Amino acid sequence: MNVLIIGGGISGTAAGIALSRVGVPARIVEARSPAQAAGGAFLAVAPNGVAALHTLGLHDLMDQAGGIAVPEIWFHNAAGDQIGHLQARGTDGASPTCLVRRGALQHELLGAARAVGVEITFGARLVDLCQGGQDVTAVFDDGRTVTADLVLGCDGVHSTTRRLALPTAPSPRYTGVLDCGAWTATGSLPDTTGQRMVWGRRAFFGYVTDRGTTYWFSNLAQAQEPRRGELDALDGPGWLSRLRQLHGADPAPVPQILAAADSVLGVWSIYDLPNLATWHTGRVCLLGDAAHAASPSAGQGASLALEDAAVLAMCLRDLPSPQEAFARFEQLRKPRAERVVAMGRRIGDRKIPSPAAAWLRDRLLPLFLRLGARQAREQYAYRIDWHDTLGPPPETPHRSG
């Protein structure tokens, strides 16, 4: 068996590494250039995501990527009052969420994939898929074709693989929120004990300060969905000026962080993905955001992708046919992923400013956080035992009319 992976981001590189663990050769083709693929700001890898890295044999990868432990989250309102607190540790109490620069994580995953023999090609965009009885041929925009036994779509929320293989699948949903962020030298600010979240008067702000550098992001509401590519050409200084205006009346140190900033790494529309009827067809299967994109508000996108990679490799290892492996993978992963997508949607909706909603939120947030803490503990506790042997999904009991 040989596998073609479409997409060389976190999901695709992790899939290549996982397949190598079960003796399946894999090749990755990524549409973007290496520099583009390493773009972005930073992200969180939750305790369950760190555990998935360990399952893949990547025990030191977060340290190598410069991950910052974020063991708790503090919530503040627009007046600066603390209105909530949430633990971001694993059930063992010792495994915190880690904040990591996306480019650094990507660099380490690419290196780990190459080290186990995964071939990686950049700058070739998928334009067609032709499934035969025993293989799949992928056609790329530079004229090359690649034939493989299986194709894995790891190409993100706007997945071309999904559009070609599952043409009736729903499109990603724009959530009405834009995201932007950067890291900024703020030597005078003390380190934070965890992550700080601020419901500002006109936008939402989050930050972590570590050894003189503040990692920050802003979420702001915009009802009109930007056109694809529109945000790529934004005027950085102009956008930073807009952020300073939006957050100018927010509590310290938010205005000070933005005053020190000299750039914005990017502005991105936030999407999630309505529940798909299926993640696979024939010899093609979707992983990561291509199958179940969640809002970044859930803090689980990268972690779910890492889990997907390990579980799918186990399914291909243990089940006799790709179709059975894909069905088992979906049966194991779909309910969990859909719960995270729904949670991210609820959290993201609360970030859209409203004076009435803010009054209610300040009073109900402790209750929401108690419920959220239970959900977080369940998510953080998820572990993959590489030594398990997977069987086919249990049969649904037949009910007579």
Side-chain angles (χ1 to χ4, degrees):
M1 184 187 299
N2 69 90
V3 176
L4 172 63
I5 299 170
I6 306 297
I10 293 169
S11 177
T13 49
I17 295 163
L19 290 172
S20 76
R21 291 286 310 271
V22 298
V24 175
R27 174 181 180 180
I28 296 172
V29 178
E30 163 60 49
R32 297 167 295 177
S33 69
Q36 291 170 329
F42 52 88
L43 52 84
V45 180
N48 48 292
V50 175
L53 286 170
H54 293 177
T55 298
L56 298 178
L58 305 174
H59 298 275
D60 300 323
L61 189 135
M62 289 305 299
D63 288 338
Q64 293 164 352
I68 301 166
V70 184
E72 54 193 347
I73 305 172
W74 301 89
F75 298 89
H76 300 263
N77 64 15
D81 300 327
Q82 181 185 311
I83 56 174
H85 172 257
L86 189 65
Q87 290 287 338
R89 292 182 179 273
T91 51
D92 59 3
S95 302
T97 293
C98 286
L99 190 78
V100 63
R101 298 186 187 190
R102 179 182 287 273
L105 179 61
Q106 179 73 13
H107 174 78
E108 296 299 331
L109 284 169
L110 284 169
R114 290 190 175 104
V116 295
V118 179
E119 179 185 347
I120 304 170
T121 301
F122 289 94
R125 186 174 300 277
L126 180 71
V127 295
D128 200 8
L129 285 174
C130 305
Q131 292 203 57
Q134 300 298 319
D135 56 30
V136 189
T137 297
V139 182
F140 296 91
D141 61 354
D142 60 1
R144 83 180 73 191
T145 61
V146 178
T147 298
D149 297 310
L150 305 176
V151 167
L152 303 183
C154 300
D155 46 348
V157 63
H158 298 291
S159 169
T160 300
T161 310
R162 183 181 64 240
R163 177 175 55 80
L164 293 171
L166 300 168
T168 62
S171 299
R173 182 191 79 115
Y174 172 58
T175 63
V177 177
L178 301 181
D179 177 42
C180 62
W183 47 83
T184 297
T186 52
S188 61
L189 287 183
D191 287 359
T192 55
T193 55
Q195 191 166 22
R196 306 286 170 151
M197 303 290 196
V198 181
W199 269 282
R201 289 173 172 80
R202 300 171 64 190
F204 186 90
F205 195 87
Y207 67 97
V208 171
T209 300
D210 179 72
R211 292 171 293 182
T213 299
T214 296
Y215 298 80
W216 61 268
F217 70 89
S218 175
N219 292 161
L220 55 149
Q222 178 172 305
Q224 181 65 40
E225 178 183 1
R227 299 183 305 276
R228 289 293 301 275
E230 178 182 344
L231 298 177
D232 297 341
L234 280 177
D235 170 35
W239 188 262
L240 196 54
S241 175
R242 179 182 177 186
L243 290 178
R244 288 169 179 152
Q245 292 175 355
L246 286 172
H247 291 288
D250 288 343
V254 175
Q256 290 83 352
I257 293 170
L258 291 173
D262 58 8
S263 66
V264 177
L265 291 176
V267 183
W268 305 276
S269 303
I270 294 181
Y271 291 87
D272 62 16
L273 190 62
N275 297 341
L276 303 183
T278 183
W279 293 355
H280 64 93
T281 179
R283 291 178 169 267
V284 180
C285 187
L286 306 176
L287 280 74
D289 282 355
H292 49 68
S295 162
S297 300
Q300 282 284 348
S303 298
L304 288 180
L306 294 168
E307 293 175 4
D308 279 358
V311 173
L312 181 59
M314 292 174 67
C315 291
L316 290 170
R317 178 194 68 186
D318 293 344
L319 292 163
S321 72
Q323 290 73 23
E324 290 173 275
F326 291 164
R328 182 66 166 141
F329 167 70
E330 184 175 313
Q331 183 261 342
L332 288 169
R333 297 293 300 155
K334 201 167 188 281
R336 173 173 172 78
E338 289 178 352
R339 285 194 297 272
V340 172
V341 172
M343 181 188 72
R345 188 174 299 166
R346 290 193 299 271
I347 296 172
D349 288 345
R350 294 180 190 138
K351 290 181 176 180
I352 297 176
S354 160
W359 183 89
L360 190 63
R361 179 204 62 230
D362 287 1
R363 285 149 183 81
L364 293 181
L365 187 66
L367 172 61
F368 292 151
L369 289 179
R370 283 196 295 273
L371 297 174
R374 185 169 66 244
Q375 289 180 321
R377 286 193 297 270
E378 292 171 356
Q379 292 168 12
Y380 295 163
Y382 185 89
R383 295 294 183 271
I384 302 159
D385 188 344
W386 201 259
H387 301 291
D388 282 349
T389 300
L390 300 177
E395 293 185 10
T396 303
H398 176 70
R399 297 187 179 185
S400 61

